[in-house]
Amino acid sequence: MHIHILGICGTFMGSLALLARELGHQVTGSDKGVYPPMSTQLAAHGIDAGHGFDAANLQPVPDLVIIGNALSRGNVEVEAVLNQRIPYTSGPQWLADNVLRHRRVLAVAGTHGKTTTASMLAWILEQAGLSPGFLIGGIPRNLGISARAGSPGGVFVIEADEYDTAFFDKRSKFVHYLPEVAVLNNLEFDHADIFADLAAIERQFHHLVRLVPGNGQLIVADNEPALSRVLEMGAWSPVARFGRTDQAQWQLKDGFEDQQFVVTSPDGEGVVRWRMSGEHNRRNALAAMAAARAVGVTLEQSSAALTTFASPRRRQELRGSVNDIQVIDDFAHHPTAIAMTLEGLRSVSSHGRLIAVIEPRSNTMKLGTMKARLPASVASADEVYWYQPATLGWSVVEVAKACPVPAHAMTTTEQLIDALVEKARPGDRIVIMSNGGFDNVHERLLDALGQYYGQEVDVGA
C-alpha cells in the first residue's frame, strides 16, 4: 500500500512513517519547516519528507493519506484529498488499527516528561529481553530510532499525548491507544489553543482512564491534585502510586552521592546510579520502573538498565563544546518544564555559569497564557536570553524586565548568537530551549564560538 503522510516531520507523524515503512508499505510525505533530528532520521530510512505542501505531492494518487493534527482545512493538500475523495485517516486511528490492537500497550501520559519516561521504559524493557515496540516523540539515544513495531502479542510503549487527533477528530490522541498499563506522570494546564481550562484536560485524562481494563494497571504520581481529581471521576483498574509520600507504593529517596537515588518498591529496595540529573528525571525513572514491573520486569533489571540510560535527543542533549563552553539543546516549552530543566542542570554542577536561551514558540506560548509564569521559571539560571519569534503575539521585553536574573530580549538569531559569543566564558553551559528548529541556532552558535576561539568544535555524544 502507498501511504502518504501530511505533516510527516512532526515527532509523532515521523515515527508513524517509520512504522508504516517497517510494516512493508511505501511511504511518502509532505511538510514545511523540515529540520533535524526527524528529517535526518527519515532520510536515513529512505523516506522522502518533501518540502512544503502541494497538490502535486498526491500524484500518483496514494492508497491512503494520514493527516496530522497540525493540518487543517485550507491546506492545499488537505483540500486536494477531500476534493479527489482519496481515503484518509488520522495518525492515532491508523496506529490503533494496524499496530496497537495486536500488542500489549503501555502508555505514558502527562504534561511533562512523556518522551523521557517513555524512553526509559522502552530501554528497561529492551534490556530485560522483551524487545518492545515503541513510538516516542523524540529519538531515544539508547535505541537509535523513534519507533519500531515490535512483535504481535508483544509489549508496545507509546508516548500518549492529550492534544487533539485531527481536524476531523477532536478527541485527544491517547483515547485511541487502549492501553493495558497507563502512566499518569503529572497534569497541569497546557495547550491553551484547544483547551479552555485545566478541568477540560482532566476530563480527557478521565477518558483515558476509562479505557484501561480491570486487569490492567494505572501508574499515578502522588501529590498531584489534578490527577487525584481525575481518579475521583472513576477508576476501574488497580492503581500504583509513585513519588515521595508515604501513600506511594513506589517511593523515591535521596542517594548518598550525586546522580544516585534509592527506590522503595513492593519488591524491596534498590539503588539506581546513572548519568541523569534533576528531581523530575528521578520521578520519571520511578514511573518507568513501576510500569515495567506491571509486565514482569524486576526491580534489579530496571535499576541495571537505568545505569546505562542516555537522555533522548533534545532533552538536555549536549550538542557540542568549544573552549570548555557547552551548548545544550532542550525541548522545554512550558514554564514548569523550563524550571525543571534549569534546576536539573544546576543540581549537577556549580562550575561556570548556566545561561538560558529561550524561544517561546508553542501554541500556548503564542497566546501569552503562560507569560506571567515565565520570569520565575528561570530562577536557577545565571542569565537568560529571550528570543522574539515573528509569530509571537506579545513582547518578550516585558518578561525580560520581570526576571529575577539578568535578562535580555533578542529579535534576530544573528543578534542572539553575537551576544552569546561575546558573553560566554570557559566553564559556561548555554542551554537552548525551544520546541522547534530555532533557525539552527545550536550549530550556528558552536560554529561562531569555534571561529572566535580558533578551535574545532568538540561534538557532543
Side-chain angles (χ1 to χ4, degrees), residues 381-399:
D382 292 294
E383 197 160 352
V384 60
Y385 289 78
W386 296 96
Y387 176 68
Q388 178 88 38
T391 55
L392 198 64
W394 47 272
S395 174
V396 297
V397 173
E398 304 169 34
V399 170

mmCIF file with all atom_site columns, all heavy atoms in Angstrom, residues 381-399:
data_model
loop_
_atom_site.group_PDB
_atom_site.id
_atom_site.type_symbol
_atom_site.label_atom_id
_atom_site.label_alt_id
_atom_site.label_comp_id
_atom_site.label_asym_id
_atom_site.label_entity_id
_atom_site.label_seq_id
_atom_site.pdbx_PDB_ins_code
_atom_site.Cartn_x
_atom_site.Cartn_y
_atom_site.Cartn_z
_atom_site.occupancy
_atom_site.B_iso_or_equiv
_atom_site.pdbx_formal_charge
_atom_site.auth_seq_id
_atom_site.auth_comp_id
_atom_site.auth_asym_id
_atom_site.auth_atom_id
_atom_site.pdbx_PDB_model_num
ATOM 1   N N   . ALA A 1 381 ? 18.861 29.876 36.563 1.00 0.00 ? 381 ALA A N   1
ATOM 2   C CA  . ALA A 1 381 ? 19.886 30.302 35.602 1.00 0.00 ? 381 ALA A CA  1
ATOM 3   C C   . ALA A 1 381 ? 20.666 31.488 36.172 1.00 0.00 ? 381 ALA A C   1
ATOM 4   O O   . ALA A 1 381 ? 20.200 32.207 37.063 1.00 0.00 ? 381 ALA A O   1
ATOM 5   C CB  . ALA A 1 381 ? 19.250 30.675 34.274 1.00 0.00 ? 381 ALA A CB  1
ATOM 6   N N   . ASP A 1 382 ? 21.846 31.697 35.634 1.00 0.00 ? 382 ASP A N   1
ATOM 7   C CA  . ASP A 1 382 ? 22.615 32.891 35.991 1.00 0.00 ? 382 ASP A CA  1
ATOM 8   C C   . ASP A 1 382 ? 22.255 34.064 35.092 1.00 0.00 ? 382 ASP A C   1
ATOM 9   O O   . ASP A 1 382 ? 22.391 35.226 35.500 1.00 0.00 ? 382 ASP A O   1
ATOM 10  C CB  . ASP A 1 382 ? 24.114 32.597 35.869 1.00 0.00 ? 382 ASP A CB  1
ATOM 11  C CG  . ASP A 1 382 ? 24.587 31.600 36.910 1.00 0.00 ? 382 ASP A CG  1
ATOM 12  O OD1 . ASP A 1 382 ? 24.565 31.925 38.107 1.00 0.00 ? 382 ASP A OD1 1
ATOM 13  O OD2 . ASP A 1 382 ? 24.961 30.477 36.517 1.00 0.00 ? 382 ASP A OD2 1
ATOM 14  N N   . GLU A 1 383 ? 21.812 33.757 33.898 1.00 0.00 ? 383 GLU A N   1
ATOM 15  C CA  . GLU A 1 383 ? 21.454 34.798 32.931 1.00 0.00 ? 383 GLU A CA  1
ATOM 16  C C   . GLU A 1 383 ? 20.539 34.168 31.904 1.00 0.00 ? 383 GLU A C   1
ATOM 17  O O   . GLU A 1 383 ? 20.590 32.949 31.666 1.00 0.00 ? 383 GLU A O   1
ATOM 18  C CB  . GLU A 1 383 ? 22.720 35.351 32.274 1.00 0.00 ? 383 GLU A CB  1
ATOM 19  C CG  . GLU A 1 383 ? 22.546 36.669 31.569 1.00 0.00 ? 383 GLU A CG  1
ATOM 20  C CD  . GLU A 1 383 ? 23.864 37.410 31.365 1.00 0.00 ? 383 GLU A CD  1
ATOM 21  O OE1 . GLU A 1 383 ? 24.891 36.962 31.906 1.00 0.00 ? 383 GLU A OE1 1
ATOM 22  O OE2 . GLU A 1 383 ? 23.857 38.431 30.642 1.00 0.00 ? 383 GLU A OE2 1
ATOM 23  N N   . VAL A 1 384 ? 19.686 34.978 31.276 1.00 0.00 ? 384 VAL A N   1
ATOM 24  C CA  . VAL A 1 384 ? 18.745 34.421 30.316 1.00 0.00 ? 384 VAL A CA  1
ATOM 25  C C   . VAL A 1 384 ? 18.595 35.350 29.120 1.00 0.00 ? 384 VAL A C   1
ATOM 26  O O   . VAL A 1 384 ? 18.626 36.587 29.260 1.00 0.00 ? 384 VAL A O   1
ATOM 27  C CB  . VAL A 1 384 ? 17.368 34.147 30.967 1.00 0.00 ? 384 VAL A CB  1
ATOM 28  C CG1 . VAL A 1 384 ? 16.761 35.420 31.525 1.00 0.00 ? 384 VAL A CG1 1
ATOM 29  C CG2 . VAL A 1 384 ? 16.403 33.490 29.976 1.00 0.00 ? 384 VAL A CG2 1
ATOM 30  N N   . TYR A 1 385 ? 18.459 34.742 27.939 1.00 0.00 ? 385 TYR A N   1
ATOM 31  C CA  . TYR A 1 385 ? 18.206 35.474 26.696 1.00 0.00 ? 385 TYR A CA  1
ATOM 32  C C   . TYR A 1 385 ? 16.866 34.998 26.149 1.00 0.00 ? 385 TYR A C   1
ATOM 33  O O   . TYR A 1 385 ? 16.675 33.801 25.885 1.00 0.00 ? 385 TYR A O   1
ATOM 34  C CB  . TYR A 1 385 ? 19.315 35.197 25.675 1.00 0.00 ? 385 TYR A CB  1
ATOM 35  C CG  . TYR A 1 385 ? 20.635 35.843 26.024 1.00 0.00 ? 385 TYR A CG  1
ATOM 36  C CD1 . TYR A 1 385 ? 21.468 35.280 26.992 1.00 0.00 ? 385 TYR A CD1 1
ATOM 37  C CD2 . TYR A 1 385 ? 21.040 37.027 25.417 1.00 0.00 ? 385 TYR A CD2 1
ATOM 38  C CE1 . TYR A 1 385 ? 22.683 35.873 27.329 1.00 0.00 ? 385 TYR A CE1 1
ATOM 39  C CE2 . TYR A 1 385 ? 22.250 37.626 25.752 1.00 0.00 ? 385 TYR A CE2 1
ATOM 40  C CZ  . TYR A 1 385 ? 23.058 37.046 26.702 1.00 0.00 ? 385 TYR A CZ  1
ATOM 41  O OH  . TYR A 1 385 ? 24.252 37.641 27.041 1.00 0.00 ? 385 TYR A OH  1
ATOM 42  N N   . TRP A 1 386 ? 15.932 35.921 25.999 1.00 0.00 ? 386 TRP A N   1
ATOM 43  C CA  . TRP A 1 386 ? 14.620 35.617 25.428 1.00 0.00 ? 386 TRP A CA  1
ATOM 44  C C   . TRP A 1 386 ? 14.614 36.008 23.966 1.00 0.00 ? 386 TRP A C   1
ATOM 45  O O   . TRP A 1 386 ? 14.997 37.127 23.601 1.00 0.00 ? 386 TRP A O   1
ATOM 46  C CB  . TRP A 1 386 ? 13.520 36.387 26.164 1.00 0.00 ? 386 TRP A CB  1
ATOM 47  C CG  . TRP A 1 386 ? 13.368 36.006 27.599 1.00 0.00 ? 386 TRP A CG  1
ATOM 48  C CD1 . TRP A 1 386 ? 13.911 36.634 28.679 1.00 0.00 ? 386 TRP A CD1 1
ATOM 49  C CD2 . TRP A 1 386 ? 12.627 34.894 28.112 1.00 0.00 ? 386 TRP A CD2 1
ATOM 50  N NE1 . TRP A 1 386 ? 13.560 35.997 29.843 1.00 0.00 ? 386 TRP A NE1 1
ATOM 51  C CE2 . TRP A 1 386 ? 12.764 34.922 29.523 1.00 0.00 ? 386 TRP A CE2 1
ATOM 52  C CE3 . TRP A 1 386 ? 11.856 33.894 27.532 1.00 0.00 ? 386 TRP A CE3 1
ATOM 53  C CZ2 . TRP A 1 386 ? 12.167 33.982 30.353 1.00 0.00 ? 386 TRP A CZ2 1
ATOM 54  C CZ3 . TRP A 1 386 ? 11.254 32.955 28.349 1.00 0.00 ? 386 TRP A CZ3 1
ATOM 55  C CH2 . TRP A 1 386 ? 11.414 32.996 29.743 1.00 0.00 ? 386 TRP A CH2 1
ATOM 56  N N   . TYR A 1 387 ? 14.154 35.096 23.119 1.00 0.00 ? 387 TYR A N   1
ATOM 57  C CA  . TYR A 1 387 ? 14.081 35.370 21.684 1.00 0.00 ? 387 TYR A CA  1
ATOM 58  C C   . TYR A 1 387 ? 12.640 35.656 21.289 1.00 0.00 ? 387 TYR A C   1
ATOM 59  O O   . TYR A 1 387 ? 11.713 34.981 21.739 1.00 0.00 ? 387 TYR A O   1
ATOM 60  C CB  . TYR A 1 387 ? 14.623 34.183 20.886 1.00 0.00 ? 387 TYR A CB  1
ATOM 61  C CG  . TYR A 1 387 ? 14.492 34.352 19.402 1.00 0.00 ? 387 TYR A CG  1
ATOM 62  C CD1 . TYR A 1 387 ? 15.246 35.310 18.720 1.00 0.00 ? 387 TYR A CD1 1
ATOM 63  C CD2 . TYR A 1 387 ? 13.606 33.572 18.668 1.00 0.00 ? 387 TYR A CD2 1
ATOM 64  C CE1 . TYR A 1 387 ? 15.118 35.477 17.355 1.00 0.00 ? 387 TYR A CE1 1
ATOM 65  C CE2 . TYR A 1 387 ? 13.474 33.725 17.299 1.00 0.00 ? 387 TYR A CE2 1
ATOM 66  C CZ  . TYR A 1 387 ? 14.230 34.679 16.646 1.00 0.00 ? 387 TYR A CZ  1
ATOM 67  O OH  . TYR A 1 387 ? 14.094 34.847 15.296 1.00 0.00 ? 387 TYR A OH  1
ATOM 68  N N   . GLN A 1 388 ? 12.463 36.650 20.441 1.00 0.00 ? 388 GLN A N   1
ATOM 69  C CA  . GLN A 1 388 ? 11.135 37.074 19.988 1.00 0.00 ? 388 GLN A CA  1
ATOM 70  C C   . GLN A 1 388 ? 10.852 36.516 18.596 1.00 0.00 ? 388 GLN A C   1
ATOM 71  O O   . GLN A 1 388 ? 11.235 37.108 17.582 1.00 0.00 ? 388 GLN A O   1
ATOM 72  C CB  . GLN A 1 388 ? 11.068 38.616 19.943 1.00 0.00 ? 388 GLN A CB  1
ATOM 73  C CG  . GLN A 1 388 ? 9.754  39.181 19.436 1.00 0.00 ? 388 GLN A CG  1
ATOM 74  C CD  . GLN A 1 388 ? 8.743  39.377 20.548 1.00 0.00 ? 388 GLN A CD  1
ATOM 75  O OE1 . GLN A 1 388 ? 9.087  39.765 21.646 1.00 0.00 ? 388 GLN A OE1 1
ATOM 76  N NE2 . GLN A 1 388 ? 7.489  39.112 20.251 1.00 0.00 ? 388 GLN A NE2 1
ATOM 77  N N   . PRO A 1 389 ? 10.182 35.348 18.480 1.00 0.00 ? 389 PRO A N   1
ATOM 78  C CA  . PRO A 1 389 ? 9.833  34.851 17.144 1.00 0.00 ? 389 PRO A CA  1
ATOM 79  C C   . PRO A 1 389 ? 8.771  35.742 16.504 1.00 0.00 ? 389 PRO A C   1
ATOM 80  O O   . PRO A 1 389 ? 7.980  36.388 17.205 1.00 0.00 ? 389 PRO A O   1
ATOM 81  C CB  . PRO A 1 389 ? 9.296  33.445 17.411 1.00 0.00 ? 389 PRO A CB  1
ATOM 82  C CG  . PRO A 1 389 ? 8.913  33.424 18.838 1.00 0.00 ? 389 PRO A CG  1
ATOM 83  C CD  . PRO A 1 389 ? 9.753  34.433 19.548 1.00 0.00 ? 389 PRO A CD  1
ATOM 84  N N   . ALA A 1 390 ? 8.758  35.756 15.194 1.00 0.00 ? 390 ALA A N   1
ATOM 85  C CA  . ALA A 1 390 ? 7.841  36.648 14.470 1.00 0.00 ? 390 ALA A CA  1
ATOM 86  C C   . ALA A 1 390 ? 6.383  36.313 14.744 1.00 0.00 ? 390 ALA A C   1
ATOM 87  O O   . ALA A 1 390 ? 5.516  37.189 14.653 1.00 0.00 ? 390 ALA A O   1
ATOM 88  C CB  . ALA A 1 390 ? 8.128  36.566 12.967 1.00 0.00 ? 390 ALA A CB  1
ATOM 89  N N   . THR A 1 391 ? 6.104  35.060 15.097 1.00 0.00 ? 391 THR A N   1
ATOM 90  C CA  . THR A 1 391 ? 4.712  34.635 15.304 1.00 0.00 ? 391 THR A CA  1
ATOM 91  C C   . THR A 1 391 ? 4.210  34.900 16.725 1.00 0.00 ? 391 THR A C   1
ATOM 92  O O   . THR A 1 391 ? 3.049  34.627 17.024 1.00 0.00 ? 391 THR A O   1
ATOM 93  C CB  . THR A 1 391 ? 4.583  33.129 15.017 1.00 0.00 ? 391 THR A CB  1
ATOM 94  O OG1 . THR A 1 391 ? 5.521  32.413 15.834 1.00 0.00 ? 391 THR A OG1 1
ATOM 95  C CG2 . THR A 1 391 ? 4.863  32.832 13.553 1.00 0.00 ? 391 THR A CG2 1
ATOM 96  N N   . LEU A 1 392 ? 5.060  35.407 17.581 1.00 0.00 ? 392 LEU A N   1
ATOM 97  C CA  . LEU A 1 392 ? 4.652  35.639 18.971 1.00 0.00 ? 392 LEU A CA  1
ATOM 98  C C   . LEU A 1 392 ? 3.794  36.889 19.064 1.00 0.00 ? 392 LEU A C   1
ATOM 99  O O   . LEU A 1 392 ? 4.164  37.948 18.554 1.00 0.00 ? 392 LEU A O   1
ATOM 100 C CB  . LEU A 1 392 ? 5.898  35.777 19.852 1.00 0.00 ? 392 LEU A CB  1
ATOM 101 C CG  . LEU A 1 392 ? 5.700  35.598 21.358 1.00 0.00 ? 392 LEU A CG  1
ATOM 102 C CD1 . LEU A 1 392 ? 5.248  34.183 21.676 1.00 0.00 ? 392 LEU A CD1 1
ATOM 103 C CD2 . LEU A 1 392 ? 6.998  35.919 22.106 1.00 0.00 ? 392 LEU A CD2 1
ATOM 104 N N   . GLY A 1 393 ? 2.655  36.774 19.764 1.00 0.00 ? 393 GLY A N   1
ATOM 105 C CA  . GLY A 1 393 ? 1.711  37.881 19.823 1.00 0.00 ? 393 GLY A CA  1
ATOM 106 C C   . GLY A 1 393 ? 1.936  38.853 20.963 1.00 0.00 ? 393 GLY A C   1
ATOM 107 O O   . GLY A 1 393 ? 1.095  39.706 21.220 1.00 0.00 ? 393 GLY A O   1
ATOM 108 N N   . TRP A 1 394 ? 3.049  38.747 21.673 1.00 0.00 ? 394 TRP A N   1
ATOM 109 C CA  . TRP A 1 394 ? 3.359  39.651 22.776 1.00 0.00 ? 394 TRP A CA  1
ATOM 110 C C   . TRP A 1 394 ? 4.873  39.845 22.827 1.00 0.00 ? 394 TRP A C   1
ATOM 111 O O   . TRP A 1 394 ? 5.624  39.140 22.166 1.00 0.00 ? 394 TRP A O   1
ATOM 112 C CB  . TRP A 1 394 ? 2.844  39.082 24.108 1.00 0.00 ? 394 TRP A CB  1
ATOM 113 C CG  . TRP A 1 394 ? 3.182  37.637 24.332 1.00 0.00 ? 394 TRP A CG  1
ATOM 114 C CD1 . TRP A 1 394 ? 2.467  36.554 23.936 1.00 0.00 ? 394 TRP A CD1 1
ATOM 115 C CD2 . TRP A 1 394 ? 4.353  37.120 24.974 1.00 0.00 ? 394 TRP A CD2 1
ATOM 116 N NE1 . TRP A 1 394 ? 3.099  35.387 24.295 1.00 0.00 ? 394 TRP A NE1 1
ATOM 117 C CE2 . TRP A 1 394 ? 4.259  35.703 24.953 1.00 0.00 ? 394 TRP A CE2 1
ATOM 118 C CE3 . TRP A 1 394 ? 5.462  37.694 25.588 1.00 0.00 ? 394 TRP A CE3 1
ATOM 119 C CZ2 . TRP A 1 394 ? 5.237  34.875 25.487 1.00 0.00 ? 394 TRP A CZ2 1
ATOM 120 C CZ3 . TRP A 1 394 ? 6.435  36.876 26.138 1.00 0.00 ? 394 TRP A CZ3 1
ATOM 121 C CH2 . TRP A 1 394 ? 6.307  35.486 26.085 1.00 0.00 ? 394 TRP A CH2 1
ATOM 122 N N   . SER A 1 395 ? 5.317  40.818 23.593 1.00 0.00 ? 395 SER A N   1
ATOM 123 C CA  . SER A 1 395 ? 6.737  41.184 23.607 1.00 0.00 ? 395 SER A CA  1
ATOM 124 C C   . SER A 1 395 ? 7.482  40.489 24.740 1.00 0.00 ? 395 SER A C   1
ATOM 125 O O   . SER A 1 395 ? 7.067  40.528 25.903 1.00 0.00 ? 395 SER A O   1
ATOM 126 C CB  . SER A 1 395 ? 6.881  42.703 23.755 1.00 0.00 ? 395 SER A CB  1
ATOM 127 O OG  . SER A 1 395 ? 8.244  43.051 23.915 1.00 0.00 ? 395 SER A OG  1
ATOM 128 N N   . VAL A 1 396 ? 8.613  39.875 24.404 1.00 0.00 ? 396 VAL A N   1
ATOM 129 C CA  . VAL A 1 396 ? 9.437  39.242 25.435 1.00 0.00 ? 396 VAL A CA  1
ATOM 130 C C   . VAL A 1 396 ? 10.154 40.276 26.299 1.00 0.00 ? 396 VAL A C   1
ATOM 131 O O   . VAL A 1 396 ? 10.709 39.930 27.348 1.00 0.00 ? 396 VAL A O   1
ATOM 132 C CB  . VAL A 1 396 ? 10.480 38.283 24.804 1.00 0.00 ? 396 VAL A CB  1
ATOM 133 C CG1 . VAL A 1 396 ? 9.790  37.135 24.083 1.00 0.00 ? 396 VAL A CG1 1
ATOM 134 C CG2 . VAL A 1 396 ? 11.433 39.021 23.876 1.00 0.00 ? 396 VAL A CG2 1
ATOM 135 N N   . VAL A 1 397 ? 10.147 41.533 25.873 1.00 0.00 ? 397 VAL A N   1
ATOM 136 C CA  . VAL A 1 397 ? 10.786 42.586 26.669 1.00 0.00 ? 397 VAL A CA  1
ATOM 137 C C   . VAL A 1 397 ? 10.159 42.659 28.061 1.00 0.00 ? 397 VAL A C   1
ATOM 138 O O   . VAL A 1 397 ? 10.851 42.806 29.074 1.00 0.00 ? 397 VAL A O   1
ATOM 139 C CB  . VAL A 1 397 ? 10.684 43.940 25.950 1.00 0.00 ? 397 VAL A CB  1
ATOM 140 C CG1 . VAL A 1 397 ? 11.187 45.072 26.846 1.00 0.00 ? 397 VAL A CG1 1
ATOM 141 C CG2 . VAL A 1 397 ? 11.482 43.906 24.642 1.00 0.00 ? 397 VAL A CG2 1
ATOM 142 N N   . GLU A 1 398 ? 8.830  42.537 28.134 1.00 0.00 ? 398 GLU A N   1
ATOM 143 C CA  . GLU A 1 398 ? 8.140  42.592 29.426 1.00 0.00 ? 398 GLU A CA  1
ATOM 144 C C   . GLU A 1 398 ? 8.597  41.459 30.337 1.00 0.00 ? 398 GLU A C   1
ATOM 145 O O   . GLU A 1 398 ? 8.804  41.659 31.542 1.00 0.00 ? 398 GLU A O   1
ATOM 146 C CB  . GLU A 1 398 ? 6.626  42.492 29.213 1.00 0.00 ? 398 GLU A CB  1
ATOM 147 C CG  . GLU A 1 398 ? 6.046  43.541 28.283 1.00 0.00 ? 398 GLU A CG  1
ATOM 148 C CD  . GLU A 1 398 ? 4.608  43.209 27.914 1.00 0.00 ? 398 GLU A CD  1
ATOM 149 O OE1 . GLU A 1 398 ? 3.880  42.648 28.768 1.00 0.00 ? 398 GLU A OE1 1
ATOM 150 O OE2 . GLU A 1 398 ? 4.204  43.494 26.773 1.00 0.00 ? 398 GLU A OE2 1
ATOM 151 N N   . VAL A 1 399 ? 8.749  40.264 29.774 1.00 0.00 ? 399 VAL A N   1
ATOM 152 C CA  . VAL A 1 399 ? 9.195  39.122 30.562 1.00 0.00 ? 399 VAL A CA  1
ATOM 153 C C   . VAL A 1 399 ? 10.626 39.322 31.031 1.00 0.00 ? 399 VAL A C   1
ATOM 154 O O   . VAL A 1 399 ? 10.970 39.048 32.190 1.00 0.00 ? 399 VAL A O   1
ATOM 155 C CB  . VAL A 1 399 ? 9.056  37.821 29.741 1.00 0.00 ? 399 VAL A CB  1
ATOM 156 C CG1 . VAL A 1 399 ? 9.734  36.652 30.445 1.00 0.00 ? 399 VAL A CG1 1
ATOM 157 C CG2 . VAL A 1 399 ? 7.595  37.510 29.483 1.00 0.00 ? 399 VAL A CG2 1
#
